Amino acid sequence: MASPAPGAAPAIATVPAALLRHALAAQEHECQALARALHNEIGQAVSAIKMTSALALDEDDAQQRRQDLQDIIRTADDTVARLRELSQRLRPPQLSTVGLEAALRGELDWRAGGDAPALAFRADALADTPDEETALAAFRIVQQAVVNALRHAHAGTIEVALADAGDGRFRVAVRDDGDGFDSTAASAPGLALMRERARLCGGHCEIASTPGGGARISAELPYRAPAAQLPGGLA
């Protein structure tokens, strides 16, 4: 297929109605997951801090009161970390300012340390700078894949790679050595959302995994996303 002439307007891609519905459903699931996290995790943590504070106020034993205060500090630290994670999911990074490579590196640096598995990042030179839409899609795909590996895979190592793919495209990939899953039967909304993010900006996302064999998620995206025309004349 011939490449468009330099400076030419990007092609207009029509988004199929079924694909649009699927993407919107995945997005709604993400909103529901965030709402549950805020209500259940954050709400319970704040309640625990309140109850432990009340116990500390009435505690006569200095050693027990110190233990109560340490519990409050630990719960507060965990809650702040969880709020930062939720904020990252809600607020896109400033990709237009720092660029995709720096945003990915910062995301991994933030998640590294403590009990987290080893996080490795390799970035090869890109032939162009991804536009904001494709850079955001790439970032979110990597972010989702890393979060999945951290939460569910029991991985020892997670590797993230960014590279040029030729023909006006670039690739992001996430590989882990964790528990793995049956990728032919997997239907988790997070996996579906990764695929839809890639497809909506003119790329594709492949998910390969077997039980006990780790997982590899690879997305190939264009540097310039095609302009989308919604079906039925929707604006």
Side-chain angles (χ1 to χ4, degrees):
M1 181 182 295
S3 299
I12 294 179
T14 299
V15 180
L19 176 59
L20 186 61
R21 287 196 299 271
H22 194 171
L24 291 174
Q27 185 179 53
E28 181 60 27
H29 182 275
E30 175 75 358
C31 290
Q32 292 173 358
L34 286 168
R36 285 195 300 271
L38 287 170
H39 180 270
N40 297 337
E41 300 177 34
I42 306 304
Q44 289 179 9
V46 172
S47 296
I49 290 173
K50 180 179 178 180
M51 292 174 60
T52 309
S53 299
L55 291 173
L57 282 174
D58 296 331
E59 182 58 63
D60 295 327
D61 184 271
Q63 184 175 355
Q64 183 59 52
R65 184 165 59 251
R66 178 181 178 83
Q67 181 61 52
D68 290 343
L69 293 174
Q70 289 176 338
D71 290 342
I72 292 171
I73 293 172
R74 182 169 57 253
T75 302
D77 287 342
D78 291 344
T79 304
V80 169
R82 184 63 173 135
L83 282 171
R84 285 176 179 166
E85 180 180 339
L86 294 174
S87 176
Q88 282 285 92
R89 290 168 63 181
L90 285 168
R91 176 174 49 84
Q94 298 299 317
L95 292 167
S96 59
T97 302
V98 302
L100 177 59
E101 178 182 341
L104 290 175
R105 196 178 299 279
E107 173 73 8
L108 296 178
D109 287 346
W110 175 67
R111 294 187 183 278
D115 296 329
L119 295 171
F121 180 56
R122 187 186 76 250
D124 297 336
L126 298 182
D128 198 353
T129 301
D131 67 18
E132 189 169 354
E133 182 177 350
T134 56
L136 179 57
F139 180 90
R140 291 304 195 195
I141 289 169
V142 170
Q143 185 182 53
Q144 182 70 59
V146 170
V147 167
N148 287 350
L150 289 172
R151 290 186 181 174
H152 309 300
H154 305 106
T157 302
I158 300 173
E159 300 174 348
V160 178
L162 170 66
D164 183 73
D167 197 26
R169 291 173 171 254
F170 68 98
R171 181 184 298 109
V172 288
V174 179
R175 183 193 299 271
D176 71 70
D177 61 357
D179 294 342
F181 53 91
D182 184 356
S183 59
T184 63
S187 59
L191 299 179
L193 184 57
M194 285 190 279
R195 291 190 179 102
E196 300 309 327
R197 285 190 190 279
R199 291 179 64 181
L200 285 172
C201 63
H204 61 88
C205 180
E206 297 178 354
I207 299 172
S209 182
T210 56
R216 184 178 189 275
I217 295 172
S218 177
E220 193 171 294
L221 307 170
Y223 285 103
R224 300 285 177 271
Q229 178 176 312
L230 299 181
L234 297 174

